[in-house]
């Protein structure tokens, strides 16, 4: 393999830019030679767990250069490694060890295999990682495709490409091959394009090339890529699935304005990576085309037989595509000389990059070439301008969310459960008609999703009596009817179909079902529409009058962990649309229900990962075999925790809320005097704002969730304060309207009781209005730390009252304390020690002088509490303390709201009782508010 053997020829040019520094081609060649020596002279099968890191790449190149066939698998999980190790018994396994170091584990001293001399690389077919069916690629395949790609992209030794895609995925690997073949540089990174640090690395490296699958472009849209200044960027490449023509045109125009070219490409793993590309100068006028064959390759269209013609897409295509509306596409010269409609046939590719063939067992590694040309399975036509267009799929294989799905295997999997089913791909969804009842649909949908690796949201399933399953007059399944039967009455939006990446990070080639096939069938209903309520009821325990309460019975919940977690999420968040891919923040979770959710999950999982609230439910489910059932009480009465012992950890934010509310109430009662907790909670509120509202969700969803949280604070607060105004006469109507801080009617203490709630609502409303502006939304996504830091600077102007807006009670004014909210927000985004040190310095310097001179303890308390928030994510705790802290923290807002009307009746004679009563009333009001809110949200 020339690009692997001749690395040293590029001398001291930069080959790799890594998080720890740069690696020259000369240094990389030395590492490769050293590793090749370790692998030995005898050809061996080397399994490499791919990762975008230098040691993985060096091992891969070492094996190629020494002639060892490489079995390249995902390096981010043990399942594929274990599965393929068991299936193929590699001689050497190279992977990251448990301690994070790169290891070469020799399973056989020589080799246990007969390896064909042409065999160089084994890759899983798109979307089937872990499957024993592999693509066998030769040295010539890899070399030819790398050379071809480098040629049509115009890659030179001045280029630098970022590794935005996994190394084990053929598209990501082709980026590596093509750039190394030209002596160009690689920015090795495993960061997402949504990460600010990725773009900092991209700019610092002087990166010139960016590669993406359709989902990557979804993310680029969200983060405001169109406004980024990337002066070195020369080209953006796209493959891994169909990008809508309008988006192709839009990105082409963006590139024209910004000085880079968009290359839309088409390929399959069986072609090593690439078969066609759309020249950039044609992308604006022909965005629906996949283009022309790559250098060295060629296409032909295999005529379709009569049965395939009947199944070929084309109904409803416009005349601009050479077809008359309502007519089937032309599959041959059926008209006269004037009939110039393009021929539709199966696209067949020939070229030096066509695979040797497939492997399904170790015995196949000895085979030579068994494939001469590649039958892609895609239906295509060649337009008069010479460009090829994909119009559908010949075979029943479907590309769904970038994964290659075999509907026949899904049918077989359901058959093993005794269920007759007919499955068909339909765009980005799998359509299934199965024998059963409506109550069976949630279970069958989960079984089907598990069988093919799709998320349940991508499976449309309709259950029918077996006699009613759609069949052709011949008795064969009617797959067209299956698609129509399962389609919704309202087509799902594009965002709903494409906002998530493939489950395993892969994406396939082009050839998805055209948009015109998404026309809904009248009266049809999706499983998602009819099954969500059934899904929820199926996972909740039915009530029974003759059974003891849940907490008096032993837990006998035998549901799958994901089923149990869905029930828990549905209960606490009051949602009926929970799927295995749902996240806490994605479902609208906020700080008011975060505490309860985290403690319920912690009861089952033990220590939770810090980012659990942004992780898909399926990821959390893998860590547990049981979770507190939805029917169990809120805390302390569920099943025995899966984590042994009493030791736990408690998030610092929860601890500060719990301790803070006790200090606030106790200080007001004069049971003790430790002030400053309310100002700490302002910072905690900013911290929670960043975590729960500034998510990766689309713009409108983020704003909608934020307004919903504002209502959950404002309405219960206004209701309680209005009652207090009417009952006590101590408050002004401005208090009931939460406007006291604005009208500033004087320094009377009771009128300032609710300054905290007013300030919090002002901040949230102002930010909701700002984030409703697309420009601000894009700025926040691009500068996750920079924006709150800028707002902190603005807040410091209010802290020192530069504009003279502070009220009579200076330290309670919204403009004065906003900097604490911004500091908490920035703390949630401070990913480095340097950033945390900066925030700590601001805190230490700005807090003194905020309070009256005789309140030095208050100043120290605020500094200590917020320093803890900045630096310490979790604290050691015990299970009973966690339950108590969760109860107090989850009710802290309502305790604050109600305690002013409770403690005055008891504080003089029974101060301890006054504290306990204040806490109890607040907890009760929290429970009542939650129940009322959920009741109002239900239809």
């Amino acid at each position: 393999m020339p690009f692997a053997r001749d690395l040293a020829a590029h001398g001291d040019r930069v080959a790799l830019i890594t998080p720890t520094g740069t690696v020259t081609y000369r240094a990389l060649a030395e590492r490769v030679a050293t590793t090749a020596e370790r692998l030995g002279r005898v050809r061996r099968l080397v399994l490499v767990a791919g990762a975008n890191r230098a040691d993985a790449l060096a091992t891969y190149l070492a094996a190629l250069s020494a002639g060892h066939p490489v079995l390249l698998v995902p390096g981010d999980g043990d399942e594929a490694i274990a599965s393929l190790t068991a299936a193929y018994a590699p001689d050497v396994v190279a992977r990251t060890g448990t301690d994070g170091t790169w290891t070469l584990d020799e399973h056989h001293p020589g080799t246990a295999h007969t390896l064909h001399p042409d065999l160089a690389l084994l890759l899983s077919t798109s979307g089937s990682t872990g499957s024993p069916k592999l693509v066998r690629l030769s040295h010539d395949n890899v070399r030819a495709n790398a050379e071809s790609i480098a040629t049509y992209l115009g890659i030179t030794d001045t280029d630098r490409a970022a590794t935005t895609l996994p190394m084990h995925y053929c598209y990501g690997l082709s980026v590596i091959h093509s750039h190394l073949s030209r002596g160009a540089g690689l920015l090795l990174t495993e960061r997402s394009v949504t990460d600010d640090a990725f773009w900092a690395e991209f700019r610092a490296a002087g990166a010139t090339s960016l590669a993406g699958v359709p989902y990557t472009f979804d993310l680029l849209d969200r983060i405001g890529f169109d406004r980024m200044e990337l002066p070195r960027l020369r080209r953006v490449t796209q493959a891994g699935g169909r990008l809508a023509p309008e988006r192709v045109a839009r990105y082409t125009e963006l590139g024209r304005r910004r000085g880079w070219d968009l290359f839309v490409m088409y390929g399959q793993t069986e072609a090593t990576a690439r078969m066609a590309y759309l020249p950039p100068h044609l992308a604006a006028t022909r965005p629906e085309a996949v283009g022309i064959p790559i250098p060295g390759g060629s296409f032909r269209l295999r005529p379709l037989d009569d049965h395939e013609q009947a199944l070929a897409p084309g109904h409803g295509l416009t005349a601009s595509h050479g077809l008359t509306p309502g007519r089937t596409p032309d599959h041959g010269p059926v008209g006269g000389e004037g009939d110039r409609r393009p021929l539709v046939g199966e696209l067949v590719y020939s070229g030096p990059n066509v695979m040797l063939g497939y492997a399904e067992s170790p015995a196949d590694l000895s085979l030579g070439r068994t494939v001469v040309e590649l039958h892609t399975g895609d239906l295509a036509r060649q337009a008069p301008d010479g460009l090829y267009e994909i119009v559908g799929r010949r075979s029943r294989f479907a590309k769904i969310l970038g994964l290659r799905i075999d509907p026949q295997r899904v049918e077989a999997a359901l058959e093993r459960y005794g269920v007759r089913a007919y499955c068909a791909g339909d765009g980005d969804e799998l359509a299934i008609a199965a024998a059963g009842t409506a109550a069976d649909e949630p279970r069958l949908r989960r079984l089907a999703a598990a069988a093919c690796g799709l998320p349940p949201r991508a499976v449309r399933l309709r259950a029918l009596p077996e006699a009613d399953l759609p069949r052709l007059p011949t008795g064969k399944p009617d797959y067209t009817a299956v698609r129509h039967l399962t389609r919704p009455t309202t087509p799902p939006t594009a965002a709903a179909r494409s906002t998530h990446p493939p489950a395993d990070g892969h994406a396939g080639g082009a050839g998805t079902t055209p948009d015109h096939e998404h026309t809904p069938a009248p009266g049809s209903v999706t499983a998602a529409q009819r099954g969500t309520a059934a899904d929820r009821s199926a996972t909740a325990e039915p009530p029974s009058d003759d059974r003891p309460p849940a907490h008096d019975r032993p837990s006998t919940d035998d549901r799958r962990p994901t089923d149990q977690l869905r029930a828990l999420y549905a209960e606490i968040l009051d949602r009926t649309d929970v799927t295995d891919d749902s996240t806490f923040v994605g479902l609208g979770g906020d700080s008011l229900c975060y505490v309860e959710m985290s403690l319920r999950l912690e009861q089952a999982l033990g220590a939770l990962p810090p980012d659990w609230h942004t992780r898909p439910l399926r990821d959390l489910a893998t860590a547990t075999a049981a979770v507190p059932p939805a029917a169990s009480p809120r805390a302390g009465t569920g099943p025995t925790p899966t984590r042994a012992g009493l030791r736990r950890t408690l998030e610092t934010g929860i601890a500060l809320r719990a301790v803070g509310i006790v200090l606030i109430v106790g200080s007001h009662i004069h049971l003790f005097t430790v002030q400053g907790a309310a100002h700490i909670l302002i910072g905690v509120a900013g911290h929670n704002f960043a975590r729960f509202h500034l998510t990766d969700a689309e713009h409108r969803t983020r704003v909608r969730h934020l307004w919903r949280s504002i209502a959950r604070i404002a309405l219960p607060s206004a209701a309680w304060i209005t009652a207090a105004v009417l009952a006590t006469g101590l408050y002004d109507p401005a208090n009931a309207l939460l406007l006291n801080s604005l009208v500033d009617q004087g320094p009377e203490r009771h009128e300032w009781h609710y300054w905290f709630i007013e300030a919090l609502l002002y901040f949230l409303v102002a930010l909701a209005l700002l984030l409703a502006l697309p420009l601000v939304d894009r700025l926040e996504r691009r500068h996750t730390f920079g924006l709150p830091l800028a707002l902190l600077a603005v807040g410091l102007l209010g802290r020192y009252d530069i504009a003279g807006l502070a009220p009579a009670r200076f330290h309670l004014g919204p403009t004065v304390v906003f900097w604490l909210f911004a500091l908490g927000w920035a703390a949630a985004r401070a990913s480095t020690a340097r950033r945390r040190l900066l925030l700590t310095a601001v805190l230490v310097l700005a807090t003194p002088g905020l309070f009256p001179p005789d309140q030095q303890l208050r100043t120290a308390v605020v500094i200590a509490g917020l320093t803890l928030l900045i630096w310490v994510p979790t604290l050691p705790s015990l299970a009973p303390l966690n339950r108590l802290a969760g109860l107090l923290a989850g009710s802290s807002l309502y305790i604050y709201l109600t305690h002013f009307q409770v403690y005055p009746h008891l504080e003089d004679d029974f101060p301890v009782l006054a504290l306990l009563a204040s806490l109890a009333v607040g907890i009760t009001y929290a429970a009542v508010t939650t129940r009322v809110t959920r009741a109002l949200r239900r239809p």
Side-chain angles (χ1 to χ4, degrees), residues 157-196:
D157 59 6
T158 61
D159 278 303
R160 290 184 178 178
T163 56
T164 49
L165 301 166
M167 176 183 173
H168 65 265
Y169 171 37
C170 68
Y171 182 12
L173 192 60
S174 73
V175 173
I176 293 173
H177 290 167
S178 57
H179 282 76
L180 291 180
S181 72
R182 288 292 194 266
L186 292 170
L187 168 60
L188 290 185
T189 179
E190 295 187 314
R191 298 184 187 276
S192 166
V193 295
T194 61
D195 191 336
D196 276 352

Side-chain angles (χ1 to χ4, degrees), residues 750-774:
H750 58 268
E751 291 185 348
W752 283 92
H753 279 174
Y754 298 108
W755 71 271
F756 175 89
I757 294 174
E758 291 182 0
L760 180 60
L761 284 172
Y762 297 165
F763 301 158
L764 294 178
V765 169
L767 290 170
L769 294 174
L770 280 175
L771 289 170
L773 301 174

